[in-house]
Amino acid sequence: METAVEARATAKLDLFEEIARLKREMNAVILAHYYQEPDIQDIADFLGDSLQLAQAAKATDADVIVFCGVHFMAETAKILNPTKQVLLPDLAAGCSLADSCPPHLFARFKAQHPDAVVVSYINCSAEIKAMSDVICTSSNAEKIVRSIPESRNIIFAPDKNLGAYLEQKTGRKMILWQGSCIVHETFNERKLIALKTRHPNAVIIAHPECEPQVLAHAAFIGSTKALLEFTIQSPHQEFIVATEAGIIHEMRKRSPRKTFIAAPPNEERHCACNECPYMKLNTLEKVYLAMKNRAPEITMSEELRLRALKPMERMLELSK
Ligand code: 13P
Ligand code: SF4
C-alpha cells in the first residue's frame, strides 16, 4: 500500500519518463490489452487481444513482464514463463467471466460428463485451465472447436454467449457452462436498434461475448483484434462498436477520419457500464509503482502451472 508521502512524491514525477527508465533498468516489457486506459495503451511495447498477448508473452526475452490487463491474462503469461517475473499493476483486476466459473463447481460439472473434451475460453483461472483439454480465445475459438473430432462431446466453459455463438457457427452442440461477462451483457438491443436508426450508415460490429440478441444485429463479429482490423479495412466510415469501449482508442488512432460510436448500455442514466471495471483498475501510476516495487507479482505452484500449461500449449500449437 502506497503511503501519503510516497503518493505526493509519485504525483510530482513524469510517469512516462519514469516508466521508460525503469523498463530499461529492469529489462522489462509492457504488454497491454485494448481495454486498458489510453495512456497505458500508448506506453505499451505490445498492444493486442488475448491470443496476441499470450503469444507475445511466450516470445519475449525480457526478464520482467509488466502485464496491463486482468489477472487471468497475467496468470497466462506466468504459465508460459515460469522463470520470468510477471507483474500486474493491480492484483484486484479480475474478470467477472473468470469468476463465474469456480473450480470446485466446475470439477463437479466435468465429472457429470466424463467422456467430454473440455474446451475452455482463456478468460478463466489457472485451476480451470488445469482441468481443460485445450484453451481457446475469441480469435481462435472456432478453429479449436472444429479441431475436435465430431464423435466427441464438448464441454465449453465458461462463456455461454461465446459458446452459443460457436454452436451456431460450427453446427456443433456443446455442453455449455453458464458464465458470462458483465460488460458484454450490458448492451441493450432496443437501444442498439434506436442508435442504428439514428445512424443508418453505421455498421454494427460486436465481440462474441455479447448476448445472441445483440449479435443478431452485427454485420461483423470477432475478437478485439479482428474488430480493429475490420474497421481499418472496411470502406465504411461509421461504426457502432459493441465491446468494451477501450478498443475505440486504437480504432481512432488507426482510422482518424472514421467515426466510432460505443454501443449503448442498459442503464437509463448516463453510466460507464461499457467499460470493464477490472481492466480500468490499472492506471499509469500503478504501472509505475508495480515496476518500482516489483509487486504485485503473479505466483503459482509449479504443479498447477504444469497442468495449466498443457492445454495452453495445445492452443498455441493449433493457432500457428
Ligand atoms: P479478446 O480475445 O478479444 O482479447 O477478448 C478478451 C476479453 O476479455 C473480452 O472481454
Ligand atoms: Fe472479463 Fe468482461 Fe472485463 Fe473482458 S470485459 S476482462 S470478459 S469482465
Side-chain angles (χ1 to χ4, degrees), residues 33-35 48-51 53 70 72-73 95 97 121-123 137-139 181 183-184 207-209 222-225 243-244 279:
H33 191 268
Y34 293 116
Y35 296 165
D49 70 2
S50 307
L51 178 62
L53 291 171
V70 289
F72 77 81
M73 294 179 175
C95 167
L97 183 49
Y121 187 34
I122 198 164
N123 296 36
T137 75
S138 53
S139 20
C181 157
V183 180
H184 288 86
H207 195 281
E209 285 176 25
S223 76
T224 43
K225 159 86 176 150
T243 190
E244 211 270 1
M279 285 278 182

Side-chain angles (χ1 to χ4, degrees), residues 15-31 40 43-45 62 64-68 85-90 283-297:
L15 293 176
F16 294 93
E17 254 177 40
E18 287 301 304
I19 289 169
R21 177 183 62 79
L22 285 169
K23 211 169 66 171
R24 283 191 303 274
E25 286 175 14
M26 298 161 76
N27 186 27
V29 66
I30 301 180
L31 307 183
I40 295 182
I43 56 147
D45 296 298
V64 180
I65 298 173
V66 184
F67 208 108
C68 299
Q85 187 174 41
V86 179
L87 303 173
L88 179 65
D90 191 324
T283 61
L284 207 55
E285 187 183 3
K286 287 183 197 169
V287 173
Y288 162 71
L289 289 171
M291 294 174 83
K292 180 172 154 251
N293 301 327
R294 292 213 175 216
E297 182 180 359

Side-chain angles (χ1 to χ4, degrees), residues 107-129:
R108 233 186 277 164
F109 182 74
K110 195 183 152 183
Q112 287 163 7
H113 310 280
D115 57 355
V117 176
V118 180
V119 180
S120 292
Y121 187 34
I122 198 164
N123 296 36
C124 66
S125 64
E127 286 85 353
I128 299 295
K129 288 187 176 74

Side-chain angles (χ1 to χ4, degrees), residues 25 42 56 109 120 143 151 155 168 193 198 237 240 245 254 263 289 314:
E25 286 175 14
D42 292 344
F109 182 74
S120 292
K143 189 173 177 188
S151 57
I155 289 179
Q168 199 200 333
I193 295 168
R198 290 201 301 279
Q237 295 299 310
I240 296 173
R254 303 290 292 274
L289 289 171
R314 201 160 162 210

Side-chain angles (χ1 to χ4, degrees), residues 205-310:
I205 57 175
H207 195 281
E209 285 176 25
C210 293
E211 291 175 304
Q213 66 271 25
V214 166
L215 293 181
H217 297 278
F220 182 78
I221 298 168
S223 76
T224 43
K225 159 86 176 150
L227 296 176
L228 172 67
E229 292 298 328
F230 179 82
T231 61
I232 295 168
Q233 276 150 27
S234 167
H236 291 275
Q237 295 299 310
E238 210 177 346
F239 302 88
I240 296 173
V241 183
T243 190
E244 211 270 1
I247 182 74
I248 293 179
H249 177 63
E250 186 65 11
M251 286 176 173
R252 285 195 179 121
K253 272 173 86 172
R254 303 290 292 274
S255 308
R257 288 180 204 284
K258 294 185 179 178
T259 304
F260 300 97
I261 309 164
N266 255 320
E267 312 301 304
E268 287 310 323
R269 274 171 293 176
H270 181 74
C271 76
C273 320
N274 57 359
E275 290 193 353
C276 174
Y278 307 102
M279 285 278 182
K280 287 340 193 230
L281 281 176
N282 295 328
T283 61
L284 207 55
E285 187 183 3
K286 287 183 197 169
V287 173
Y288 162 71
L289 289 171
M291 294 174 83
K292 180 172 154 251
N293 301 327
R294 292 213 175 216
E297 182 180 359
I298 302 289
T299 56
M300 80 187 68
S301 76
E302 185 60 4
E303 185 268 335
L304 174 61
R305 189 190 73 79
L306 287 173
R307 283 192 295 125
L309 179 63
K310 253 173 96 173

